[in-house]
Amino acid sequence: MKDPISTRDIGPRAGTPLWLYMASTMLAGLGLLVFASLELGLAQLQSLVSEPLLWVLLCMIVLGELRPISMPGQPPNSGTPTSLPFSFAVVLFFGLPVAALLQAVATGVGGFVSGHAGHRIAFNAAQYTLSLGVADAVLRLALPFVMGVPWMPEGGELVAVALAGAAYFAVNRVLVMCAVAMHERAPLAQVMVKGLGQQVYVNGVLLSLAPLVVTAMTHSVLYVPLFAVPLGAFYTSVLLSVKRDHQANHDELTGLANRACLTVRARQDIGHAQQRGSRVGLLLLDLDRFKEVNDTLGHPTGDRLLQTVAQRLTHSVRPGDLVARLGGDEFAVLLPKVRDTASAREVAARLRDALAEPVRLDGLDFDLEASIGIALFPCDAPDFELLMQRADVAMYVAKSARTGVESYDPGKDRNSTARLSLFSELRRGLTEGALEMYYQPKVCLSDGHPVGLEALARWRHPTRGLLTPDEFIPVVQQSNLFRAFTGQVLDTTLARVAEWRQGGIDLPVSVNLSMRELLDPALPGTVNAALREHGVPPEQLVLEIGEQALITDTQAATAAVRALRGLGVGLALDDFGTGHFTLAQLAGLPLDEVKIHESFTARLTDDSDNGHTVVRAAIALVRALGMSATAEGVQTRELARAAEDTGCHAAQGHYFSPALAARDVPGWLGGRGRGALAGAFARHSFARRRFVPRSASGPVAEP
Ligand code: C2E
Ligand code: CA
Ligand code: CA
């Protein structure tokens, strides 16, 4: 067991208890080393130096120092060195003076090669000298008569050897764990029991090899290097299990603890805090606008940014605190012992400061900002689950109020609790098929025939009845539910389309995509799979993309649109006129249809401004680009006329029909006569048109 505290290699500040402790351990170790060396004497030392066995043992000890067995939770390069069987064999055979000297030399060489700081090497050397010294003393006490040097343990004396091994382990562990406890400001008993079982196992295996090393080396020095084989096998098997354990508890990208690890640690810390009557703090941290970076610059850059964030967070907390990545751009910091909310806020401020320094990636500077929510056990929550939830509520408040840091305040919880419960209800709803699709007919303005249907989502809430999208789409967008949601919308809609096709209705049906859905790289695959599964030809599906999505992130959205184009589905720009989407941008997109937003359409009959001129011009341009224009929110006959006069091909709105339940659609279409059926589709549908680039001559397939 090496000193895990010094992996940062800065060393404790002079005068601190840890500094005093390390200094006194080093002094004691040095004293014992000098004393033991004196016992050896110069003549004996000279004769030992000429022994090949000693050099072979030294080599094995140095190699073993370079291959320590790290346990879960220990940083790499610190752990029980595989030199133990050899150094302990030297104590048994040659006694403490030789063992202490060899070990000190090996620790020095090993530490130097591994690049450890001087204070760490000195502490490790002292710790080994003292542990070996105690083991030697136990042997002398247990076997006062047979002890002589060199000594070979007989079968019956193995009990004494075991006692010495146990003493070595106990002293070594106490020496290291005292330092760890001081460094992490944790109770000694707590750090002592952590991973004790595994340590006993590893040390037991290594120490039990020592008498075998002695037996072998007295036969031939050549046997000693052979021990590298079983040791190598042991080292690899422990390494593998440590690796598996690490993978299960850590985030692959950043190497931070994952949610599972955080949960276990937090529960332990809460247990300890309960006994001590102290407080545990949980900070949830969410990066602001990280998604934009990810979407604009790509995932590799986003990943590197997350790694930088992880590093900065880790370096801004105290040893013993735990930084975890919960997924995406969400991190958590666990403070096992925190005085009050004010101290937790100080930590939060430090974390924000650490992130504030611009990050340079791909030649660009990024300003990172984060919103942090704080909750404390036991004042804010009695257990871990609630602690997480409350820290999340606080984080959400910090994000929406743009205050940066918020601690949990029950007064501000109402809204957020509603949001949280809406989220979990929707998650459940999606698995229980509570999502229903309604269909609003789209009508050809020149002859009143239906030319399409728009699928609109409804959620049958267990207590609140049928909810419209404005009540739940925000939750879908802001959570990880969007993928499941898109999947279900496509699945339900296309299943219905397939059913209608069998009844002779093959109108194109459009489905709406939010920005989050559109920018999901998995979307084209999902759409394609759904079409195949239901046997629906791609041209019968139209995807509607909101103008807002195209404005917010034009580049990424354009790329996504092109990828969808390749599937052969129809594409429509939704809500045209609500943002500032320019006609120049429109010209560069492979779209079939532009849907004029209700507010824009309404201006057609409004004589009080020149709005109708603007709308008219916009529609003319849409048509000139080879796209068809659809007026939305048409509620009156007058507006339907105006839309037709302006050049809109089709319209939707309550004047024709509200969104209908699926079972009412065939009836409605039937009432509209023959035109609803395949024949009318062939004449009027734009969805079968192919996109013709701007350079092509004139509009295509206008009615
Ligand atoms: P949208 O795509 O612009 O859909 C048209 C909305 O206008 C629908 O509201 C429709 O019921 C409503 N509407 C239809 N005719 C009239 C009318 O004459 N007057 C007025 N005032 N409204 C009319 P709905 O169903 O509440 O949907 C609202 C928005 O939610 C949709 O706007 C769409 O952006 C989104 N949405 C709906 N379903 C989905 C979906 O499955 N996925 C995604 N991502 N978004 C959806
Ligand atoms: Ca729409
Ligand atoms: Ca719309």
Side-chain angles (χ1 to χ4, degrees):
M1 270 171 292
K2 277 194 191 170
D3 165 20
I5 54 162
S6 319
T7 43
R8 281 185 184 184
D9 283 352
I10 302 166
R13 240 178 316 127
T16 58
L18 179 58
W19 182 87
L20 283 173
Y21 170 74
M22 287 181 75
S24 48
T25 308
M26 288 179 210
L27 263 179
L30 185 68
L32 184 59
L33 188 65
V34 171
F35 177 75
S37 312
L38 288 179
E39 192 186 317
L40 204 58
L42 202 63
Q44 210 183 340
L45 200 66
Q46 271 170 345
S47 82
L48 280 171
V49 167
S50 60
E51 282 231 26
L53 173 63
L54 225 70
W55 289 103
V56 172
L57 285 168
L58 180 63
C59 285
M60 298 307 284
I61 298 176
V62 170
L63 287 177
E65 286 295 313
L66 294 173
R67 285 279 172 273
I69 297 181
S70 304
M71 291 286 121
Q74 279 181 320
N77 244 337
S78 67
T80 311
T82 43
S83 57
L84 187 51
F86 306 102
S87 48
F88 199 66
V90 178
V91 180
L92 297 180
F93 192 71
F94 293 107
L96 176 68
V98 181
L101 271 179
L102 285 191
Q103 181 65 58
V105 171
T107 308
V109 174
F112 180 76
V113 172
S114 308
H116 295 162
H119 72 273
R120 175 175 175 178
I121 299 177
F123 180 83
N124 289 149
Q127 152 210 341
Y128 287 135
T129 308
L130 293 171
S131 312
L132 291 171
V134 171
D136 185 66
V138 169
L139 270 182
R140 284 173 196 239
L141 277 175
L143 306 164
F145 308 109
V146 290
M147 267 306 275
V149 168
W151 172 72
M152 230 193 79
E154 298 289 326
E157 291 150 3
L158 280 181
V159 179
V161 173
L163 278 178
Y168 169 88
F169 173 70
V171 173
N172 194 31
R173 185 161 174 92
V174 169
L175 283 175
V176 174
M177 288 304 148
C178 281
V180 172
M182 283 182 208
H183 184 58
E184 294 187 354
R185 294 162 212 246
L188 180 61
Q190 187 184 321
V191 292
M192 278 300 284
V193 294
K194 206 164 105 185
L196 183 63
Q198 284 158 318
Q199 288 288 352
V200 169
Y201 166 67
V202 169
N203 280 267
V205 171
L206 294 179
L207 285 167
S208 68
L209 281 178
L212 302 179
V213 174
V214 174
T215 314
M217 75 193 195
T218 48
H219 278 87
S220 162
V221 62
L222 293 178
Y223 286 164
V224 178
L226 280 184
F227 280 93
V229 179
L231 275 174
F234 182 56
Y235 175 80
T236 339
S237 87
V238 176
L239 204 69
L240 272 179
S241 85
V242 167
K243 210 164 147 184
R244 263 200 303 274
D245 193 87
H246 187 89
Q247 278 168 346
N249 286 297
H250 290 81
D251 166 48
E252 208 179 321
L253 177 67
T254 59
L256 292 178
N258 61 13
R259 192 182 285 268
C261 181
L262 173 76
T263 310
V264 172
R265 265 286 305 271
R267 293 218 169 105
Q268 281 170 356
D269 289 341
I270 285 178
H272 294 136
Q274 224 154 9
Q275 288 164 6
R276 289 198 304 258
S278 58
R279 296 194 167 116
V280 176
L282 181 69
L283 275 59
L284 283 192
L285 183 149
D286 193 283
L287 298 181
D288 299 335
R289 301 185 314 273
F290 171 73
K291 208 186 162 309
E292 285 170 33
V293 174
N294 220 17
D295 292 341
T296 343
L297 295 162
H299 287 269
T301 310
D303 284 355
R304 276 191 291 146
L305 201 62
L306 288 174
Q307 285 165 339
T308 309
V309 169
Q311 252 172 22
R312 292 193 179 179
L313 295 180
T314 315
H315 284 109
S316 318
V317 299
R318 282 209 305 229
D321 297 345
L322 181 77
V323 181
R325 176 166 173 238
L326 302 179
D329 56 352
E330 234 181 71
F331 296 84
V333 176
L334 181 72
L335 311 172
K337 213 169 140 192
V338 65
R339 200 163 3 116
D340 48 21
T341 307
S343 337
R345 274 181 173 272
E346 273 168 34
V347 178
R350 208 163 57 226
L351 295 173
R352 274 174 54 88
D353 282 350
L355 294 183
E357 191 152 312
V359 184
R360 203 169 175 80
L361 284 179
D362 297 342
L364 290 170
D365 278 332
F366 295 96
D367 286 322
L368 283 173
E369 265 179 47
S371 302
I372 303 181
I374 303 172
L376 260 53
F377 167 88
C379 21
D380 296 328
D383 59 35
F384 174 66
E385 278 67 33
L386 271 177
L387 196 65
M388 278 290 273
Q389 231 183 68
R390 305 239 144 120
D392 185 55
V393 167
M395 195 261 290
Y396 187 66
V397 174
K399 220 180 190 58
S400 43
R402 294 174 193 278
T403 49
V405 180
E406 285 292 331
S407 41
Y408 177 71
D409 172 0
K412 294 184 184 161
D413 196 358
R414 264 198 12 250
N415 258 340
S416 317
T417 315
R419 180 184 74 109
L420 278 179
S421 69
L422 203 65
F423 167 78
S424 45
E425 282 165 358
L426 183 60
R427 187 166 51 186
R428 198 168 332 121
L430 285 177
T431 60
E432 289 170 358
L435 197 70
E436 292 177 20
M437 298 309 293
Y438 273 57
Y439 302 87
Q440 184 174 40
K442 184 165 67 182
V443 174
C444 172
L445 280 168
S446 60
D447 59 12
H449 286 142
V451 286
L453 295 160
E454 176 174 4
L456 294 160
R458 301 287 181 265
W459 171 21
R460 197 162 292 282
H461 189 274
T463 54
R464 292 163 58 195
L466 202 62
L467 301 185
T468 49
D470 53 315
E471 291 173 274
F472 61 88
I473 293 281
V475 179
V476 173
Q477 285 249 35
Q478 286 160 22
S479 68
N480 53 3
L481 292 178
F482 68 96
R483 230 171 240 169
F485 176 79
T486 318
Q488 275 204 23
V489 166
L490 283 169
D491 194 49
T492 313
T493 305
L494 292 176
R496 191 62 75 183
V497 170
E499 182 193 314
W500 286 334
R501 275 170 67 81
Q502 291 194 332
I505 303 171
D506 54 4
L507 288 177
V509 176
S510 42
V511 160
N512 291 280
L513 292 176
S514 65
M515 164 144 132
R516 189 89 189 262
E517 298 170 272
L518 175 71
L519 297 184
D520 178 7
L523 180 70
T526 311
V527 173
N528 204 15
L531 286 168
R532 273 165 194 266
E533 189 189 333
H534 296 287
V536 173
E539 56 273 18
Q540 210 182 329
L541 177 68
V542 179
L543 299 175
E544 296 192 4
I545 297 144
E547 187 186 84
Q548 218 60 45
L550 289 165
I551 295 169
T552 314
D553 193 342
T554 310
Q555 248 182 350
T558 307
V561 166
R562 288 186 197 280
L564 292 171
R565 177 89 261 174
L567 298 176
V569 296
L571 293 174
L573 175 70
D574 201 358
D575 299 334
F576 182 68
T578 47
H580 302 276
F581 196 64
T582 64
L583 293 164
Q585 283 170 304
L586 187 61
L589 282 170
L591 300 169
D592 303 293
E593 179 189 14
V594 173
K595 299 185 85 169
I596 318 290
H597 189 257
E598 185 186 346
S599 59
F600 214 44
T601 310
R603 291 168 73 178
L604 283 174
T605 52
D606 189 352
D607 295 330
S608 61
D609 71 348
N610 273 338
H612 56 281
T613 323
V614 177
V615 182
R616 238 169 239 280
I619 292 172
L621 219 119
V622 166
R623 293 191 44 168
L625 288 172
M627 305 170 190
S628 80
T630 301
E632 284 190 311
V634 174
Q635 310 213 37
T636 60
R637 187 195 173 90
E638 190 196 358
L639 201 54
R641 279 238 174 89
E644 189 187 1
D645 290 348
T646 328
C648 283
H649 159 233
Q652 245 176 284
H654 291 165
Y655 173 64
F656 305 105
S657 167
L660 305 167
R663 62 174 178 281
D664 298 332
V665 170
W668 189 91
L669 292 176
R672 290 263 150 170
R674 218 172 52 81
L677 301 176
F681 171 68
R683 282 203 310 279
H684 298 295
S685 169
F686 51 84
R688 284 199 176 151
R689 290 184 302 111
R690 281 280 142 261
F691 169 67
V692 179
R694 214 154 110 79
S695 54
S697 53
V700 194
E702 278 303 308

